[in-house]
Amino acid sequence: MCGITGWVDFARDLTSARPTVESMTRALRNRGPDAEGFWLDRHVALGHTRLAVIDLAGGAQPMVAEEGGRTSAVLTYGGEVYNFRALRDELRRAGHEFRTDSDTEVVLRAYREWGADCVRRLEGMFAIAVWDPRREELFLARDRLGIKPLFYAPLPSGVLFGSEPKALLANPLIRPVVDREGLRELLSTAKTPGRSVFRDLRELKPGHSLVVSRRGLREQRYWELRAEPHTDDLGTTIDTVRTLLDDIVLRELVSDVPLCTALSGGLDSSALTAVAAAILDEQGGRRVRTVTTSFEGYHDNFRADDTRSAPDAPYAAEVVRRVGSDHVDILLNTADLTDPATRLAAVRAQDMATSYGDMDVSLHRTFRRIRQHNTVALIGEGADETFGGYIWLHLDEYAQAPTFPWVAMEQLHEACRPAGMGRGLLDAGLLDKVDMAGHYADSYQQACAEAPHPDGESALDHRMRELCYLQVTRWLPMLLDRDDRLSMDSGLEVRVPFCDHRLVQYLYNVPWAMKTFDGREKSLLRAALAGRLPERVLQRAKSPWPVTQDPAYTRALQRELSGLLAADAPVLSLVDAGAARRAITDTSEIAFGWHSRMNIELVLQLDLWLRDYDVDLAL
């Protein structure tokens, strides 16, 4: 896992641009703390920061391929290609010779052999940039699900690109300008493919490649979900899911550095832990490492809310006992969550403000703690989107609403009305200008129009397939971005086995009745893991990432908001001062719930972001 960046300009000589490219590259040093490298030629400058995971001695980047003493391709790449060994064998049979054992060299040679079509053969998570001096072309590509980020900014005669916006913002050609569309993206819980919060930046869409040449920029889609008949019966479907999971986890356990699973005690992370434990045991009796996060006093003082019915720790402990893992508990407290440096680090990691507050900070802290002893962590992201885990899929008031079901759910929550989740303290004029209702309506219609369907499916299967598509393309990318940024800020590589495109494609076509054959959510995953997990864990209902329930945390937020109102804070031009003053003094039960807190969290993060990034609001 690494950070990549670069600059192509056919109208200028970039050999003198090294100081700028160094600044762009070093903006990504947290993504690659082990090494950095640069490669410059007349019209191109490439940078790379390395997190060494495979072939620690080899694999340095940018990596150069030569033929006849001349450079034929230069690669800067971040991610993991899990089928690199099979590809290396195939490329050797085609005549390629390898100097390293890294997947990096496999990607480079794959480009030399197959050109732009190489991405169709790569299986994993990746962001790739290849400079082809023969064609004078830059080839950019991103993995199928968008697990690894890749941003770019078109120039009059070229392009800037990087793993994160901060790399492009380190170039004086780009200013952090945010217009109405960008603010919509920041406030939205439905990501628009290809769009960035910053006006002049774009994000390469998942499953897409981009060629930059003297003729301009040419984007192409190389992968998309397909609607196909599902002919497997229930037993075969369960067996296929089990076989796929075993193969996926087996490939994603390959690492030359310490690896663990982030174990919440929920079904998804417990499933990965059980599969990983069995594989490692078969490979020589090694124990899987596990890590669980909780808050001080959380178990003893837990109060159920609308999405969390029980604390995680007891369930995680059962899994630990069952698989015999090498386990570590991470215990966070209110001081951790209110630490100004950590909150600022979370904003910087994501290059934007969010309303998730302590969820962001606790996840950032968790990843930082994990990184003290591990370089790679497997997490359970992606299972709910494809197996059907979210509550909004199982209640008609959300599933049949004429919008994204999670948006319908937030609109019905008392703490989110009428402005929407996290937007309760924003100025009414600003909200009218941004028009989130209109934005959601347009985005929803576009997403529904994209979703592929087979002929002759029932009305129910049509809708549930549509909702699966919405989750995979509009909801999941937001979570993957968050996971990537908050983990890579500590130089931790997170892997997401449930986002393997083979599994996602297979489940996309499984009928809803089969996905819920026992009347519950994630029926297929439970069936595939039967006998491999404690029964109480196997039957546990969906429970998202925990949030603190300490009233002292909300009071600390209220004090901080009070300080902002008394200061000359840049965020105040966006805030309804009356609503903010009421939030400061509100002691009602609902005010201390996490939905209400998000209103304050967003204002505090917006202020940090506006100050730290010197954002120009062009609304």
Side-chain angles (χ1 to χ4, degrees):
M1 194 57 58
C2 308
I4 70 172
T5 191
W7 184 2
V8 170
D9 197 322
F10 296 103
R12 63 193 299 172
D13 186 344
L14 294 180
T15 56
S16 61
R18 185 180 179 102
T20 300
V21 176
E22 287 182 351
S23 295
M24 295 170 65
T25 303
R26 287 167 185 165
L28 301 172
R29 59 162 52 99
N30 287 353
R31 295 187 72 89
D34 295 328
E36 67 178 21
F38 308 94
W39 190 89
L40 288 82
D41 203 352
R42 183 176 180 187
H43 297 305
V44 60
L46 304 177
H48 185 269
T49 61
R50 187 183 186 205
L51 177 65
V53 174
I54 302 291
D55 188 9
L56 306 190
Q61 298 186 53
M63 184 175 282
V64 178
E66 294 184 346
E67 292 183 11
R70 300 181 63 182
T71 298
S72 59
V74 187
L75 169 73
T76 181
Y77 145 73
E80 301 292 346
V81 171
Y82 300 122
N83 64 332
F84 76 98
R85 289 171 173 165
L87 287 175
R88 185 169 55 204
D89 291 342
E90 183 177 358
L91 288 164
R92 277 178 172 153
R93 290 193 295 270
H96 290 267
E97 297 181 356
F98 289 83
R99 297 176 291 103
T100 74
D101 293 324
S102 68
D103 61 336
T104 301
E105 191 173 11
V106 171
V107 174
L108 179 60
R109 289 290 163 184
Y111 175 82
R112 290 292 297 113
E113 179 68 21
W114 298 301
D117 283 341
C118 70
V119 289
R120 301 179 188 275
R121 297 171 177 260
L122 306 180
E123 297 178 1
M125 53 180 188
F126 52 81
I128 295 169
V130 182
W131 173 249
D132 189 329
R134 302 162 305 165
R135 295 186 173 91
E136 282 201 318
E137 288 182 349
L138 176 73
F139 175 71
L140 300 175
R142 193 172 176 211
D143 65 71
R144 294 164 179 81
L145 273 294
I147 303 167
K148 291 292 103 184
L150 185 54
F151 292 84
Y152 68 98
L155 302 175
S157 52
V159 73
L160 296 172
F161 70 88
S163 298
E164 299 177 12
K166 58 176 60 68
L168 286 78
L169 294 173
N171 190 305
L173 294 177
I174 302 295
R175 282 285 303 150
V177 179
V178 177
D179 59 12
R180 186 178 77 145
E181 293 303 316
L183 191 56
R184 281 175 157 183
E185 283 302 305
L186 186 149
L187 298 175
S188 176
T189 55
K191 187 175 177 66
T192 305
R195 192 170 291 168
S196 164
V197 167
F198 297 101
R199 184 189 64 189
D200 300 320
L201 272 58
R202 303 174 189 173
E203 189 171 19
L204 188 60
K205 296 175 185 176
H208 281 67
S209 63
L210 182 74
V211 174
V212 182
S213 68
R214 292 182 182 275
R215 297 181 297 277
L217 279 62
R218 185 177 75 255
E219 188 172 356
Q220 182 176 348
R221 187 171 200 164
Y222 71 87
W223 183 85
E224 59 186 323
L225 285 169
R226 304 181 308 276
E228 301 171 338
H230 185 78
T231 57
D232 293 345
D233 61 18
L234 178 59
T236 304
T237 300
I238 293 170
D239 288 343
T240 301
V241 169
R242 185 183 299 114
T243 300
L244 278 170
L245 280 177
D246 286 346
D247 181 64
I248 291 165
V249 174
L250 174 65
R251 296 201 304 181
E252 299 199 18
L253 285 175
V254 174
S255 173
D256 294 333
V257 292
L259 175 150
C260 70
T261 68
L263 173 64
S264 70
L267 177 61
D268 308 337
S269 63
S270 298
L272 297 181
T273 299
V275 174
I279 291 170
L280 292 175
D281 184 59
E282 290 176 4
Q283 290 179 343
R286 291 184 294 156
R287 289 198 299 168
V288 66
R289 296 181 172 198
T290 53
V291 180
T292 298
T293 297
S294 189
F295 304 105
E296 287 185 359
Y298 189 74
H299 180 267
D300 294 335
N301 303 305
F302 179 81
R303 300 181 304 279
D305 60 25
D306 57 346
T307 56
R308 299 168 181 85
S309 60
D312 289 337
Y315 294 91
E318 286 195 44
V319 177
V320 169
R321 289 193 295 270
R322 177 67 173 265
V323 304
S325 66
D326 181 3
H327 184 70
V328 173
D329 282 310
I330 295 174
L331 198 62
L332 303 178
N333 57 37
T334 297
D336 293 325
L337 302 179
T338 56
D339 175 49
T342 304
R343 183 183 293 157
L344 179 58
V347 171
R348 287 176 172 170
Q350 300 180 87
D351 290 305
M352 59 180 281
T354 80
S355 61
Y356 296 110
D358 70 289
M359 284 189 282
D360 282 352
V361 173
S362 62
L363 189 58
H364 186 275
R365 281 266 182 171
T366 294
F367 287 147
R368 183 156 291 180
R369 299 272 187 91
I370 290 175
R371 183 62 175 91
Q372 292 175 0
H373 304 287
N374 301 275
T375 307
V376 179
L378 272 60
I379 64 174
E381 208 77 88
D384 289 306
E385 287 74 11
T386 51
F387 282 101
Y390 290 116
I391 188 173
W392 57 61
L393 297 173
H394 302 272
L395 298 175
D396 282 350
E397 60 187 314
Y398 308 133
Q400 300 303 326
T403 187
F404 299 105
W406 57 91
V407 172
M409 188 173 177
E410 75 178 49
Q411 289 172 345
L412 292 175
H413 197 286
E414 182 179 355
C416 299
R417 293 196 304 265
M421 190 168 70
R423 303 191 291 271
L425 302 185
L426 299 184
D427 178 73
L430 174 68
L431 293 174
D432 287 343
K433 185 179 295 185
V434 175
D435 184 20
M436 291 303 296
H439 171 69
Y440 278 137
D442 293 342
S443 180
Y444 173 73
Q445 290 174 8
Q446 176 61 40
C448 289
E450 295 172 5
H453 295 274
D455 295 333
E457 67 179 345
S458 68
L460 175 62
D461 277 331
H462 184 94
R463 179 55 175 168
M464 301 317 291
R465 188 189 305 267
E466 190 170 68
L467 292 181
C468 180
Y469 185 85
L470 299 182
Q471 291 177 149
V472 169
T473 64
R474 300 313 195 263
W475 173 261
L476 178 60
M478 181 181 65
L479 304 182
L480 293 175
D481 281 353
R482 178 171 172 259
D483 293 333
D484 173 84
R485 305 297 188 77
L486 294 177
S487 62
M488 290 304 294
D489 193 54
S490 297
L492 175 71
E493 174 178 296
V494 294
R495 298 180 179 176
V496 281
F498 288 114
C499 293
D500 184 289
H501 71 281
R502 298 170 298 161
L503 181 64
V504 174
Q505 173 61 50
Y506 184 76
L507 290 170
Y508 183 69
N509 289 300
V510 175
W512 185 245
M514 194 175 286
K515 284 186 177 180
T516 57
F517 72 87
D518 63 358
R520 297 192 62 190
E521 82 284 358
K522 291 193 279 197
S523 304
L524 291 175
L525 183 56
R526 295 180 202 281
L529 270 295
R532 304 171 80 172
L533 284 173
E535 191 64 21
R536 198 164 75 109
V537 175
L538 191 68
Q539 302 304 329
R540 188 185 182 193
K542 163 70 180 173
S543 184
W545 182 257
V547 293
T548 182
Q549 296 184 341
D550 184 359
Y553 179 72
T554 300
R555 289 194 289 268
L557 295 179
Q558 290 174 324
R559 289 193 298 271
E560 194 168 347
L561 178 60
S562 178
L564 278 187
L565 293 179
D568 185 21
V571 75
L572 294 184
S573 63
L574 309 178
V575 171
D576 179 335
R581 283 192 291 269
R582 289 190 295 274
I584 290 169
T585 58
D586 192 348
T587 58
S588 66
E589 182 177 351
I590 192 172
F592 283 78
W594 67 282
H595 285 97
S596 292
R597 285 202 319 248
M598 294 174 95
N599 296 320
I600 302 179
E601 303 270 25
L602 178 61
V603 171
L604 297 180
Q605 284 208 17
L606 277 172
D607 189 69
L608 280 176
W609 180 60
L610 292 171
R611 291 174 186 268
D612 196 63
Y613 278 68
D614 190 24
V615 174
D616 291 337
L617 291 175
L619 305 178

